[in-house]
Amino acid sequence: MSIKCTVTTDLQAKDKNGYSGIQKHVEHDKKINHTNQDIVFSETQFNQYDKSPKTRAAIDQWNNEHFKDYVEEHDKHQREKGHAERQYGSVKNYLKRKKKATAVLTIGNMEVQSKLMQQFCPKTSYQEEKLPDGTTHLVFKLKDQNNQPIPDNIAVAKQFYGCFNRALIKATNNNVGWTLKDKSRVNVGDYLHRGRYATNNDEMGISHIHYELATFGMTRGGKKRAAHVTNSLNQALVSLHHAVTGKYCSGRDATKWFRANMDQYALKCLETELHKTYKVPQDKKILDFERKTKEDKTVQTGLSMEQLKAQHQEIADHQKAVQLLQSQADNLTNQKNDVQSQVATVTQNLKGIYEATTGHQAVDKDGNDLSPLEMANDITRAARSSQKDKQQADQDADAAKEKQTAAENQQKQLDQQLAHQRQQLQNLQNQISDAEEQIRQRKLQRIKAAQQEIDQNDLLDNNDQPITVTEANVTQMEQELDSWRQEERDNWETDKQDYQDELDNLNQEITTARTTKTELSTTNQQLTTQNQQLQNENTTVQNQINDYKNQLVDTIAENAPEHKVDSSLLNPNETAQPVISDTGRQQHLRQTLKYLMDTTTKVLQKIKTEATNFINQITQALTQPTQNQQSNPTSQHSPSLDLSNIKNSDKPFDYRKEQKLMNDPGIKLKKAILFATNDQLQKTSQQTKQSLKKQAEDEYEL
């Protein structure tokens, strides 16, 4: 029974470091403190690496071939516009600002590797080890109790991991691709070119390969900008899909299509290597492809299980932090609105106090509203002026005492209100400062989020320059991102409708195909019945032919026992034997029916000729006169006829038949015997005995 096996191709375009950023991770140097604690360093010797200067030079040359014209045209255009500082100068400088792509190809998982080891490796060559989660995994036993190498087990492990190394390297080669109907060839390396790589067989997961990708694609172009080259991973996949199928699709669909093809091919490569290495019959299937979804926790991506769990936890924590920040931002926005409402209320109250105190509207000479501080100062001056008026009123008349008391009370109230409003104003200013600081922090978060989204989607401005989000343009960038997201959603809806239409057409074609299949099944059943009948008839005819061949060979053996098959009709280095022998008989039976019939005809014709000659000799001897024969010899039979017994024949006379009978040797012999004399009969008998005796002696000598 074949083993269910999943294959995963993980394409990544994270940062500008590319393969250099993961090089320490894939080299598995024991001296480095790795975050991955599932490395079996004793098996690191079976990894394969390619990080040579020749490989790096090949990547640089490939990039120059694909982007040189674009960079030169871009730089020329910038010089013509008077922006020499915006030139790239070289392909290397152009790609230096771009994200670099890497990939991980993984075939199977821990369970698959353990089953393969149990199937092809001796039990003494491996042992069980426990993983941190309590499960067990098989690893090769490369050292004995004295910590000395075990050569036989090392050879077994090298042979086993060699199958994975060759399969992983072959599946990611640049010459892997498709042959189109017009006999042209599209290779993966034309759009996704592999550079440096490292196979990892020493992790507790499964053997996998990390490799560098140089990417090339063509944008579709639009009203604002014509199609141009790009190193975007998504666009490279879309361009590869279009080159093979002739159809455009989204980056997500192109990625699914690429993985579906490459995963199947990678499993086929491993299947071939296992068959070849362990001499497995071709009709015996070892691995059976199995597709698992993203939701399946057993999907392997080249990381250990601990790393994968930590990664999922980190993503969940990040999402919670984002939600918390968003909630805080909403609260700050509400607080800001409340503070602004309170400021408006205090300002309105202050205006009422101002107008009541000064008797004027709270505006300057230009008609603009006074600030709260200006109104407070004017109210203070008005209060002082009111105090002077009060003292003057006391001096002028005692009659105004009541009015003065009211004015004092009013003044006290105004002072208290003013002090209270100033305190409120100070509190509001503090709250405004806090709100502005929180708003500033929130704005920085908005800038960071917008910049991150732009970088993740590899978005550029109209001049194909990287976009930098600042405080001045963050609102505009967010609006443009909203427009971009809406456009992506619209494109997705359009693609979804197109795919739905295509799915409907496919369902219709499937229905038609099923009807055709039913008709073909009926026809096939009828043809099968007819074929069985023909096979039975063919078997009968073949048996009859074999029987006829045996009869012909028996005839040849009976009449020409020394006959041999011509050496040109025999197998190389085979000697012709007489038909009377077993070997000779088999040599004759291997010949065609026509050959046996022709040979039998020749043998019988020879016998017929000899018999005819013998009969003619006897007939001639019987008809020759002897020396003692009288002039009127006495016949052995009376030639007289009884005319009374002659009757008319009821059969028509056939001249040709009568002539043929007259020339027949047997008839002639009978006629000669009837008319021969005793002397002729005796002489013929004696000659015949001598001839037969001589023939017997000749055959005996032979």
Side-chain angles (χ1 to χ4, degrees):
M1 182 180 292
S2 59
I3 302 172
K4 294 288 186 181
C5 182
T6 182
V7 183
T8 304
T9 302
D10 186 16
L11 302 170
Q12 303 172 348
K14 291 185 176 180
D15 50 36
K16 300 176 182 178
N17 294 325
Y19 189 82
S20 300
I22 64 171
Q23 196 161 357
K24 289 185 179 180
H25 167 76
V26 302
E27 288 179 352
H28 290 179
D29 187 353
K30 196 173 183 179
K31 300 177 182 179
I32 300 175
N33 184 19
H34 291 273
T35 57
N36 186 0
Q37 299 300 317
D38 296 334
I39 300 175
V40 183
F41 287 103
S42 61
E43 295 185 357
T44 304
Q45 58 183 307
F46 306 115
N47 295 345
Q48 286 192 11
Y49 305 98
D50 183 5
K51 51 183 179 180
S52 63
K54 181 179 179 181
T55 302
R56 295 191 178 190
I59 284 287
D60 292 338
Q61 181 180 355
W62 189 88
N63 282 327
N64 283 328
E65 291 174 356
H66 288 78
F67 295 102
K68 182 178 180 181
D69 293 342
Y70 170 75
V71 170
E72 290 180 351
E73 183 179 354
H74 173 273
D75 289 356
K76 179 182 177 182
H77 182 62
Q78 294 300 328
R79 289 194 300 270
E80 291 175 350
K81 292 172 59 178
H83 297 295
E85 71 282 357
R86 295 182 181 177
Q87 296 181 103
Y88 294 127
S90 65
V91 173
K92 187 174 183 179
N93 290 338
Y94 165 69
L95 296 176
K96 188 176 182 181
R97 308 178 185 180
K98 303 294 183 180
K99 291 183 179 179
K100 308 296 188 302
T102 58
V104 182
L105 173 62
T106 308
I107 306 177
N109 53 25
M110 289 187 293
E111 182 181 0
V112 171
Q113 182 165 309
S114 297
K115 289 182 179 179
L116 291 176
M117 290 172 66
Q118 292 173 341
Q119 183 174 350
F120 296 113
C121 303
K123 291 184 178 180
T124 57
S125 65
Y126 54 81
Q127 61 188 7
E128 282 190 354
E129 286 194 6
K130 285 189 176 181
L131 293 173
D133 60 358
T135 59
T136 58
H137 177 53
L138 297 182
V139 296
F140 283 105
K141 185 179 179 182
L142 304 179
K143 293 184 179 181
D144 57 17
Q145 295 179 352
N146 298 325
N147 202 29
Q148 296 298 317
I150 306 177
D152 292 342
N153 290 354
I154 293 176
V156 170
K158 184 176 182 180
Q159 184 184 38
F160 181 78
Y161 286 131
C163 295
F164 281 92
N165 285 336
R166 291 189 296 274
L168 291 168
I169 294 172
K170 182 178 180 181
T172 56
N173 274 341
N174 292 317
N175 57 1
V176 174
W178 298 261
T179 300
L180 306 183
K181 294 181 179 180
D182 59 358
K183 307 301 181 183
S184 61
R185 179 76 179 174
V186 177
N187 292 328
V188 175
D190 298 336
Y191 298 88
L192 304 170
H193 199 78
R194 188 190 71 186
R196 292 170 287 177
Y197 65 80
T199 63
N200 289 160
N201 300 295
D202 52 352
E203 294 187 19
M204 286 282 190
I206 188 67
S207 299
H208 56 273
I209 184 172
H210 296 265
Y211 56 100
E212 173 185 24
L213 279 180
T215 54
F216 164 77
M218 290 294 296
T219 62
R220 294 198 205 177
K223 296 181 179 179
K224 296 183 178 180
R225 190 177 183 197
H228 62 281
V229 299
T230 176
N231 79 321
S232 167
L233 175 60
N234 280 347
Q235 198 59 49
L237 291 168
V238 171
S239 298
L240 175 60
H241 176 273
H242 178 258
V244 175
T245 65
K247 300 178 180 179
Y248 284 106
C249 67
S250 65
R252 178 179 299 176
D253 291 340
T255 303
K256 291 181 179 179
W257 169 83
F258 177 76
R259 287 175 174 169
N261 283 272
M262 297 310 297
D263 292 353
Q264 293 274 7
Y265 180 70
L267 187 67
K268 182 178 178 182
C269 291
L270 180 57
E271 179 89 2
T272 301
E273 291 298 333
L274 292 173
H275 275 87
K276 187 186 303 181
T277 301
Y278 295 105
K279 311 299 181 184
V280 180
Q282 292 298 322
D283 58 348
K284 182 179 179 182
K285 196 171 185 180
I286 303 173
L287 299 172
D288 190 13
F289 184 80
E290 181 182 25
R291 169 62 68 199
K292 293 190 176 182
T293 62
K294 291 182 179 179
E295 289 73 18
D296 195 329
K297 301 303 181 183
T298 61
V299 174
Q300 300 294 312
T301 60
L303 301 176
S304 68
M305 289 300 240
E306 294 298 324
Q307 288 175 308
L308 191 61
K309 292 177 182 178
Q311 189 181 67
H312 286 307
Q313 185 62 40
E314 183 180 355
I315 292 173
D317 294 340
H318 177 71
Q319 291 177 345
K320 289 181 180 179
V322 170
Q323 293 176 355
L324 180 61
L325 288 174
Q326 185 63 43
S327 176
Q328 292 177 355
D330 294 339
N331 292 335
L332 289 174
T333 301
N334 294 333
Q335 291 178 8
K336 177 185 176 182
N337 294 334
D338 293 340
V339 170
Q340 290 177 346
S341 177
Q342 293 177 9
V343 169
T345 302
V346 171
T347 303
Q348 186 64 34
N349 293 336
L350 199 58
K351 284 183 178 180
I353 296 172
Y354 178 86
E355 292 176 355
T357 304
T358 63
H360 303 289
Q361 291 184 349
V363 294
D364 58 10
K365 60 181 180 179
D366 297 326
N368 298 322
D369 291 337
L370 295 175
S371 66
L373 182 60
E374 291 175 339
M375 286 190 290
N377 292 332
D378 290 342
I379 291 172
T380 301
R381 286 193 293 270
R384 291 174 181 173
S385 177
S386 176
Q387 183 66 29
K388 292 179 180 180
D389 292 338
K390 178 177 174 294
Q391 293 175 357
Q392 183 65 36
D394 289 338
Q395 294 175 0
D396 292 340
D398 292 337
K401 185 176 181 179
E402 185 178 352
K403 185 176 180 181
Q404 179 182 355
T405 302
E408 288 177 354
N409 292 334
Q410 184 179 7
Q411 181 63 39
K412 289 179 180 180
Q413 292 176 358
L414 290 175
D415 290 340
Q416 291 176 356
Q417 291 179 0
L418 179 60
H420 181 68
Q421 293 296 333
R422 284 180 175 175
Q423 184 61 39
Q424 287 184 342
L425 181 61
Q426 183 63 39
N427 293 336
L428 289 175
Q429 288 177 344
N430 293 336
Q431 292 177 1
I432 291 172
S433 298
D434 294 339
E436 288 178 348
E437 179 62 23
Q438 292 177 353
I439 291 171
R440 189 181 69 83
Q441 294 296 331
R442 174 55 186 160
K443 198 168 188 179
L444 292 176
Q445 293 176 358
R446 289 167 54 199
I447 293 172
K448 183 178 179 180
Q451 187 68 53
Q452 185 177 3
E453 184 173 2
I454 290 172
D455 294 339
Q456 286 177 349
N457 294 279
D458 198 18
L459 301 178
L460 303 174
D461 61 12
N462 294 333
N463 296 322
D464 198 19
Q465 296 295 323
I467 298 174
T468 301
V469 182
T470 62
E471 292 186 6
N473 64 359
V474 61
T475 303
Q476 179 185 357
M477 291 297 103
E478 288 176 339
Q479 293 175 353
E480 292 184 0
L481 284 173
D482 290 339
S483 300
W484 175 77
R485 293 193 204 98
Q486 184 61 41
E487 183 179 355
E488 289 293 311
R489 285 193 290 269
D490 294 342
N491 293 337
W492 181 83
E493 290 293 338
T494 302
D495 293 341
K496 179 182 177 183
Q497 185 62 40
D498 294 340
Y499 294 150
Q500 184 62 43
D501 296 340
E502 185 176 355
L503 179 60
D504 294 339
N505 295 333
L506 288 175
N507 289 333
Q508 183 64 32
E509 293 178 1
I510 290 172
T511 303
T512 304
R514 285 176 177 170
T515 304
T516 305
K517 180 182 178 182
T518 304
E519 296 174 353
L520 291 175
S521 298
T522 304
T523 305
N524 182 55
Q525 186 175 4
Q526 296 174 353
L527 292 176
T528 302
T529 304
Q530 295 178 2
N531 183 51
Q532 186 61 40
Q533 295 175 353
L534 291 174
Q535 287 179 353
N536 296 336
E537 294 175 359
N538 182 57
T539 302
T540 303
V541 172
Q542 188 63 41
N543 292 335
Q544 293 176 352
I545 291 174
N546 292 335
D547 293 340
Y548 190 38
K549 277 188 172 184
N550 281 299
Q551 293 177 9
L552 292 174
V553 173
D554 290 341
T555 302
I556 297 172
E558 180 180 356
N559 296 285
E562 297 302 324
H563 183 270
K564 298 180 181 179
V565 178
D566 187 26
S567 59
S568 63
L569 301 177
L570 299 177
N571 296 327
N573 301 325
E574 188 179 8
T575 305
Q577 300 293 330
V579 69
I580 197 65
S581 65
D582 292 339
T583 303
R585 183 180 183 85
Q586 294 302 322
Q587 290 176 348
H588 280 75
L589 288 174
R590 289 204 309 266
Q591 308 307 315
T592 62
L593 185 61
K594 182 178 183 304
Y595 172 82
L596 295 177
M597 293 175 64
D598 293 344
T599 303
T600 304
T601 301
K602 291 178 182 178
V603 171
L604 294 178
Q605 186 66 39
K606 181 179 179 182
I607 294 173
K608 178 181 178 182
T609 302
E610 292 176 353
T612 302
N613 293 335
F614 181 71
I615 291 172
N616 290 335
Q617 290 176 3
I618 295 175
T619 302
Q620 186 177 5
L622 289 173
T623 57
Q624 287 180 356
T626 62
Q627 294 179 356
N628 298 327
Q629 187 177 1
Q630 299 178 1
S631 58
N632 294 320
T634 302
S635 176
Q636 297 294 318
H637 305 280
S638 175
S640 61
L641 298 174
D642 186 1
L643 298 177
S644 63
N645 293 329
I646 298 176
K647 296 180 181 180
N648 293 330
S649 175
D650 58 350
K651 300 184 183 299
F653 179 78
D654 189 346
Y655 169 75
R656 290 185 178 86
K657 186 175 181 181
E658 293 295 330
Q659 188 177 22
K660 182 177 181 181
L661 291 173
M662 290 177 64
N663 294 328
D664 184 82
I667 300 297
K668 287 182 179 181
L669 177 60
K670 291 179 181 180
K671 183 178 178 182
I673 293 173
L674 291 173
F675 288 97
T677 63
N678 290 331
D679 292 339
Q680 289 174 328
L681 290 173
Q682 291 176 358
K683 182 179 180 181
T684 302
S685 177
Q686 186 178 1
Q687 290 178 354
T688 302
K689 290 179 180 180
Q690 292 177 354
S691 176
L692 292 174
K693 182 179 180 181
K694 183 179 179 182
Q695 183 177 359
E697 291 175 352
D698 292 342
E699 291 179 354
Y700 178 76
E701 290 177 358
L702 293 173

